[in-house]
Structure formats: structure tokens, C-alpha cells
Amino acid sequence: MSFIDHLEELRWHLIRSVASILVFAVAAFVSKDFIFHDLILGPSRADFFTYRKLCELGAYLGRPELCIDKISFTLQSREMSSQFTTHMTVSAIIGLVLAFPYTFWEIWRFIKPGLYEREQKNSRGAVFFVSLLFFVGTLFGYFIAAPLSINFLASYQVDPSILNEFDLASYISTLTTMTFSCALMFELPMIVFFLAKAGLVSPEMMKLYRRHAIVVILIVAALISPPDVMSMMLIAVPLLLLYEVSIYISRVVRKKDIDRLNEELNN
């Protein structure tokens, strides 16, 4: 294929990807009551799933301080067009999340023919595992990181006379930032898998630079999380665990490559 033919092929992949996002975005737009009342505003109410489970855990452990039975803030819309633009933005975000597997599949279909046969074999199941890790990260961000961060920031007061009344855009920004950050950081094992396959990383190298990685992870967690220690640790701790998992993945990848090379030499 010529360069122009490649661009034409890419254009149609992108058109189909954008169309899938628009379909889910329109579905989210017309499902306003569920999307906002149950999904987006869920972490702002004390009956949210995570808060109820924390109360049950606190009762089981005899630690009532774990229970979150009150959310001490109110939401406001301070601009005339704020609620409409928020509705549009949230619908687009929901569309992007739901269409992610298909969108990634379309991009992968464009990339895959350019790989060697062995590379295509090594990357089998990439769409499934990338999508799985994306949704696991999204669920972790939505049910764990985001609600705990929102509760901490909403209950923090420098003086009892100051009321916590937040703008709707600020609340949604915190919710989406925490959720998407977790979704992206959960892709670390797949990134390391492909880098290990390409011979760019090794378990020894990852162990050698573990201390440097910890510093980088803490910096990244501080940049993408709200300005409080708890939110930063909610991002940093899972990322550190994923880094350790990635070391194991790189070790497995190298072992399989060595076994394959030995088999080829013996044959």
C-alpha cells in the first residue's frame, strides 16, 4: 500500500472509532437520570456502595470510625450554561469509556498488519487484556479512589464556620481525574509486556531502578491526584503493586523467549 492508501485506511478506522463513541455518548445523553443521579452523583451521597461496605466493614471489625454515614458538602451550578455543558461533557466521557474496547480494536487492526508474524503471535489477546485492565482500573478508580478522595476533601475544614459548597464542574473534574488516572495506570503490566517482548526492559533492570521508579510513581501520583496525601497514596500504592507485577511479567516473558530460542537452536 502507498502512503496515501495507508492514510485512507487510517481515516476509516478513526471514523468508525469516533462513530462508536458518538453512539454510546448519545445513549448516555438520553439516559440523563441514571447517568447523573446514580452514576456521577453516587459518590456524593452517603448511601453509595463503597460507603455502605465501609460501614459494614467497620461494624464487623468493631471500628466505627471506618463508617462514612454523612457527606458534608453541597453541589452548586454557578454558571447559566454549566449544567448543559456538563451534561454534554459527561456524555462524551461515558461514550469514550464504553467504546474503548472497540476503539482500541480498530486502532489495533490498523497496526497489526505492520507486525511480523512472530510479533502478531506474541500480541495475541492484546485487545482483550488491554480492555480488561482498562475496565478494572476504571472500577477501582470509581469505587475506591474517587469516593474516598471526595469524602476526604469534602469533610476537610480549616474552620467550622466555612461551608463546603463546591461547583459541579469541580466535583466532576475530581471524579473523572481519579477514575481515568486509575484506568490508565492499570495498563502498566501490558506496557511492560510489550516492552519486554521488544527487549527494551528486563526484570533485572526493573529491580535495579525500583527506587527510581518509586520516586517517579510518587511524583505522578501527586500530579494526577487531588492535593491531599490520602488521594496520592490511593494512586501510588496500586501503582507500586502493579510495578511489582510487571517485574514478574517481564521475567515470564524473558523465560518464554529463552525457551523458544533454545527450541529453535535444538531443531
Side-chain angles (χ1 to χ4, degrees), residues 74-130:
T74 58
L75 292 175
Q76 296 183 351
S77 179
R78 299 178 184 275
E79 297 182 8
M80 185 75 72
S81 61
S82 176
Q83 295 200 48
F84 177 74
T85 55
T86 298
H87 189 188
M88 296 286 290
T89 302
V90 169
S91 298
I93 293 173
I94 297 295
L96 178 62
V97 171
L98 295 179
F100 178 83
Y102 179 80
T103 301
F104 183 78
W105 179 67
E106 284 287 351
I107 296 173
W108 183 247
R109 285 177 61 199
F110 177 75
I111 297 174
K112 189 176 180 180
L115 302 177
Y116 291 110
E117 183 178 353
R118 182 171 63 83
E119 293 173 335
Q120 293 185 16
K121 183 179 179 181
N122 290 336
S123 59
R124 189 176 300 164
V127 175
F128 172 78
F129 287 108
V130 168

Side-chain angles (χ1 to χ4, degrees), residues 164-175:
N164 283 330
E165 298 178 348
F166 305 125
D167 187 73
L168 178 62
S170 176
Y171 168 82
I172 291 179
S173 175
T174 300
L175 177 64

Side-chain angles (χ1 to χ4, degrees), residues 130 133 184-198 201 246 249:
V130 168
L133 290 173
L184 294 178
M185 76 179 189
F186 269 64
E187 297 294 344
L188 179 62
M190 286 303 298
I191 294 173
V192 171
F193 173 81
F194 285 114
L195 291 178
K197 280 293 185 182
V201 299
S246 299
I249 290 175

Side-chain angles (χ1 to χ4, degrees), residues 40-53:
I40 300 299
L41 298 179
S44 68
R45 298 190 300 272
D47 62 350
F48 186 60
F49 174 83
T50 303
Y51 304 146
R52 288 189 282 109
K53 292 303 176 182

Side-chain angles (χ1 to χ4, degrees), residues 212-223:
H212 304 79
I214 292 174
V215 174
V216 172
I217 287 171
L218 292 175
I219 293 174
V220 171
L223 290 175

Side-chain angles (χ1 to χ4, degrees), residues 1 3 6 8 11 18 21 37 52-53 60 74 76 95 98 140 146 158 167 177 181-182 193 215 219 240 248:
M1 295 176 65
F3 179 72
H6 278 294
E8 179 67 14
R11 185 170 74 93
V18 172
I21 294 173
H37 183 269
R52 288 189 282 109
K53 292 303 176 182
Y60 177 77
T74 58
Q76 296 183 351
L98 295 179
F140 175 85
V158 294
D167 187 73
T177 298
S181 298
C182 292
F193 173 81
V215 174
I219 293 174
L240 290 170
Y248 173 77

